Amino acid sequence: MFEYWVVDVKARKLIVYRFPQSGDYQETRELLSEAKISPLAFPDVEIAIKDIFLI
């Protein structure tokens, strides 16, 4: 279980890469400020993307 988050400050979005396999990620998601996400390591925690940017 592994994921990598990239915060694109200019575009105000979060890019999430999950499940690496054979040198590539099996899942890539781009989340805008109205979305929410739960980290794989803490599935009970929900983070609003807008809170990352303090909108």
Side-chain angles (χ1 to χ4, degrees):
M1 179 168 42
F2 182 78
E3 66 186 336
Y4 183 72
W5 291 14
V6 176
V7 177
D8 184 338
V9 176
K10 188 173 182 178
R12 291 188 171 270
K13 65 182 175 181
L14 177 70
I15 306 164
V16 180
Y17 299 92
R18 288 182 169 173
F19 313 115
Q21 185 177 36
S22 301
D24 199 10
Y25 288 90
Q26 301 304 304
E27 180 181 317
T28 302
R29 296 171 55 193
E30 292 191 17
L31 304 168
L32 301 176
S33 61
E34 59 275 353
K36 296 180 181 181
I37 188 168
S38 294
L40 291 176
F42 303 99
D44 295 335
V45 175
E46 187 173 76
I47 300 169
I49 306 307
K50 67 179 182 179
D51 291 344
I52 294 173
F53 300 104
L54 299 174
I55 295 173

